[in-house]
């Protein structure tokens, strides 16, 4: 089950999305292997990407990017408007923490950025960035919405590695107050309702979110059945990479003749897609 389930509560006052990332990690693993901790962070970042992207209307690609000085120094997730997701991470296997770890131990100092690249010409590209801090990726994203967008946001998000089965999954729920008109202050009743709704969301347990037998629909009903819950159609997510020989060739055009020559071995340049691991072989004479 890999999906985004949009919903609203309290007569549309608050909107939310439940996200479940499950077999997507298995699909990713058939293409590229990561240590369990890295794969779990990728799964959590994929779930966060799905939540955030669904709050923006776009036709193109939504990208979440974490850059840091820590063991995982680069993590990138792409999601197209039609649910095609791909992700990769660069990491240092020697400094990856073992045992109990915090966001700080995994990433160190860094930043979390969101970008939207539109397929349509003339559409603005959206970009947001926040310092990587807090106990989790979810708390870091909450801080971004509070600081940059002044939107009340609550996110519960967990990833899990089952060391017996090797199964890695992530799931979460995001709740957000719809934007107010400019300079409009929140009414007291709205603040009360927000406190109730966010307390209900905070009551969700990691085991419930990650329970394979508990559908996001049932879980949302369990949490918000007294809050006039409305569910919207779920959107499926699939792992798909849009790399191609043409794109690789275009990228290589930015390199000089000397750089290209230094990359070739026995007259062939071998290049792997960072996202899906697919190998491309290009003959030296075709490059120069
Ligand atoms: Zn690829």
């Amino acid at each position: 089950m890999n999906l985004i389930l949009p919903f609203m509560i309290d007569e549309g006052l608050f909107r939310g999305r439940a996200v479940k990332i499950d077999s997507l990690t298995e699909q990713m693993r058939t293409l590229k292997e990561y240590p369990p901790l890295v794969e779990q962070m990728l799964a959590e970042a994929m779930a966060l990407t799905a939540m955030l992207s669904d709050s923006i209307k776009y036709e193109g690609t939504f990208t979440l990017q974490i850059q840091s000085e820590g063991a995982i120094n680069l993590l990138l997730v792409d999601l197209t408007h039609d649910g095609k997701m791909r992700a990769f991470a660069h990491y240092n296997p020697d400094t990856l923490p073992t045992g109990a770890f915090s966001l700080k131990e995994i990433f160190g100092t860094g930043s979390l950025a969101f970008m939207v690249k539109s397929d349509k010409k003339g559409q603005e590209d959206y970009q947001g960035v926040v310092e990587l801090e807090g106990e989790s990726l979810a708390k870091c994203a909450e801080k971004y919405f509070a600081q940059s967008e002044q939107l009340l946001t609550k996110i519960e998000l967990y990833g899990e590695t089952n060391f017996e089965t090797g199964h890695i999954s992530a799931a979460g729920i995001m709740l957000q107050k719809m934007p107010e008109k400019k300079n409009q202050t929140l009414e007291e009743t709205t603040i009360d309702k927000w406190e109730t709704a966010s307390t209900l969301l905070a009551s969700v347990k990691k085991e419930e979110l990650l329970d394979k037998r508990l559908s996001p629909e049932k879980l949302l009903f369990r949490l918000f059945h007294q809050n006039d819950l409305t569910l919207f159609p779920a959107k499926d997510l699939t792992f798909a990479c849009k790399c191609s020989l043409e794109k690789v060739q275009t990228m290589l055009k930015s390199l000089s003749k000397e750089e290209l020559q230094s990359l070739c071995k026995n007259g062939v340049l071998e290049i792997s897609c960072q996202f899906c691991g697919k190998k491309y072989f290009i003959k030296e004479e075709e490059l120069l």
Side-chain angles (χ1 to χ4, degrees), residues 86 240-244 273-278 280:
R86 60 178 193 169
C241 191
K242 54 192 173 191
C243 66
S244 66
C273 172
Q274 290 176 308
F275 288 95
C276 70
K278 186 172 174 181
Y280 292 93

Side-chain angles (χ1 to χ4, degrees), residues 11-66:
E11 287 90 35
L13 198 54
F14 310 125
R15 293 224 169 207
R17 288 142 210 105
V19 172
K20 212 149 186 167
I21 300 285
D22 200 332
S23 50
L24 218 55
T25 52
E26 313 277 310
Q27 290 172 38
M28 183 167 70
R29 203 180 299 163
T30 61
L31 301 167
K32 205 172 170 182
E33 289 249 15
Y34 289 101
L37 172 63
V38 179
E39 195 177 314
Q40 187 182 315
M41 291 319 297
L42 278 165
E44 283 185 36
M46 282 151 92
L48 185 63
T49 303
M51 283 174 191
L52 300 177
S53 72
D54 198 53
S55 61
I56 299 167
K57 274 205 181 95
Y58 69 99
E59 239 176 81
T61 307
F62 181 100
T63 300
L64 179 147
Q65 180 180 292
I66 297 172

Side-chain angles (χ1 to χ4, degrees), residues 233-247:
K235 299 167 192 177
D236 284 326
L237 299 166
T238 51
F239 197 93
C241 191
K242 54 192 173 191
C243 66
S244 66
L245 182 61
E246 290 72 35
K247 281 185 182 161

